Amino acid sequence: MDHFDLVDGELHAEQVSLTALAAEVGTPVYIYSTATLTRHYTVLREALDAHPSVLGDSLIAYAVKANSNLSVLATLARLGCGADTVSEGEIRRALKAGIPADRIIFSGVGKTDAELAFALQAGVRQINVESVPELDRLAAIAAGLGVVADIAIRVNPKIGAGGHAKITTGGEGDKFGVPADEALDLYARAAASPHLNPVGLGCHIGSQITDLTPLEGAFGLLRKLTETLRQQGLPVTRIDLGGGLGVPYVGGAVTASPADYAAMTARVLDGLDVEAAFEPGRLLAANAGILLARVIQVTERADGRRFLVLDAAMNDLLRPAMYDAFHEVKPVAPREGEPVAYDIVGPVCETGDTFARGRLLPPIQAGDLVVFTGAGAYGATMSSEYNSRPLVPEVLVDGERWAVVRARPSYDEMLARETTADWL
Ligand SMILES: *Cc1c(COP(=O)(O)O)cnc(C)c1O
C-alpha cells in the first residue's frame, strides 16, 4: 500500500536507495513518499466522489498538525487539498505552501485574540468555535476589524472514540467542543451578532478510529442539530466531519476503508444539502513516511536480552513513548538467518525511550540501517531537541528525485539560538 519496498534486497523509497540516502543525509532522518501522499489523497477523493450528489463538492481539509512540512503541504495543495489548522503557525504554513485561504479551516480550543485576528485578516474559509467565551471574543475582534466572520460550532457529541485515551476528543469529559443543547444556543447567539455568520456545525471525536459506529452516531447527531436549527429559521450550509479515520499501522486493528467511510457519510447526510468537509491527518500522511535510523550497537545481556540501540530516540519519534504506539521496524538490508528478539531503544536517558520490546527481526549488527514504518504523521511534527539532539531532518522523495525539505541543524546553529544573559 505504500512505496517503501525492497529492490534487490534493499529497502527503497520509491526509486531512491535508503542506503544511499543515509550516506548523504545522515541518520536519523524522516523520508516521505510523494507517490504515497498522492495515492492516499486520491483514494479518499475518489471515495467521496463516488457519492456525487452528497459529497461531490466536499472539501478535504488535511489536518496540518499530522505533518506540517512545507513540501508535504505543497504536494497536497497541488492536488486540491485544503487545510485544517490549529494555530497561526499552521495557517502561515498552509498559505506559504499554496493552499488558498478559502480552503483553510481554523480549529482549536484555545485560539488567542491575535490568532483570531490573523485568521480573519487572512480570510480563512471558516473558524470553528468551541465555546461561548471564544464566540464573544471573536465577535469583538471581527467588529474591531470591520469584518464578518464565517464560523462553525464544534459540537461535543459525548461520543469518544479512538486508538488511545490521549487521542479521544469527543467524550463528555474531553475539553473539546460544546454539548449539543449549548451548540443550538451558541448558533443562535452567533446569528444575532452582526459580525458573525454561522455557516455550519462540526465535530471531531477522536483519532485512529477503526470502527464506523461511533462516527455514524456523531454525524447523525450533526444531522439532527442541522434540522433543528433550520426549523428555527437558521441556515446551515456546511458540516465539518472531523474524526480521524484510523490507518493500518501493522500489528494494529483492522481499519474501515475510505470507501466504507464515504458510503456511511453519504447515507447519513443524504438529502441534507450541505457542503461537507473532512479533516484527515494520519490517513493521508502516516504511511507516506518512514523514520530511517542506524544501529549504534547491539547490547547483549547475560540473561539473553538483546538491545538494539539506535541513533533515533523518543525526541525524534515520540508516539511509542506517548501513546504506546506500535510502529513496525524493518532492516533496510535484511540479513540471512533465524529471527532474533530485540528490545529496540534510543540513546535518551529515559526508560520511556523504548520503541518496542521483544521484536522478532532478522539478525542485526552494529552499523545496520533500520526503518520505522507508518511514521509520516505525528513523527517529525512532535520531534524536539530533548537531550540536545539536533532536530531530525526531513526528506521528500518523488520517483528518482529527492530533496532535503528540512535540514538537520548543525550544533553551532542549535546553540546560536540561545544567548547567555549579559550578567553572566
Ligand atoms: C487531530 C485532528 C484531526 C486529525 O486527526 P487524524 O487522526 O490525524 O486524522 C482532524 N481534526 C481535528 C479537529 C483534529 O484535532
Side-chain angles (χ1 to χ4, degrees), residues 2-19 330-335 362 369 371:
D2 59 35
H3 296 83
F4 303 100
D5 286 320
L6 287 173
V7 179
D8 296 332
E10 282 198 27
L11 274 179
H12 283 56
E14 302 191 25
Q15 272 101 268
V16 177
S17 149
L18 295 183
T19 307
K330 294 180 183 173
V332 167
R335 294 173 187 279
L369 292 167
V371 301

Side-chain angles (χ1 to χ4, degrees), residues 63 65-66 84 86 107-108 130 154 169 176 203-204 206-208 242-245 279-283 377-378:
K65 71 179 196 275
D84 181 64
V86 293
S107 313
E130 301 214 12
R154 177 165 172 177
T169 57
F176 301 96
C203 74
H204 178 269
S207 281
Q208 191 53 18
L245 190 59
E279 305 169 354
R282 79 188 66 226
L283 187 69
Y378 308 103

Side-chain angles (χ1 to χ4, degrees), residues 26-69:
T27 51
V29 57
Y30 278 97
I31 298 162
Y32 310 128
S33 157
T34 301
T36 309
L37 281 169
T38 305
R39 182 178 173 280
H40 288 172
Y41 178 83
T42 308
V43 165
L44 180 58
R45 184 72 265 171
E46 287 175 359
L48 300 175
D49 290 346
H51 308 274
S53 62
V54 191
L55 304 174
D57 56 4
S58 56
L59 175 72
I60 300 176
Y62 167 68
V64 171
K65 71 179 196 275
N67 184 327
S68 57
N69 185 280

Side-chain angles (χ1 to χ4, degrees), residues 113 120 134-147 193 195-196:
D113 287 2
L120 288 175
E134 185 187 25
L135 189 88
D136 293 344
R137 280 194 298 124
L138 181 57
I141 293 162
L145 293 172
V147 297
S193 161
H195 294 287
L196 299 176

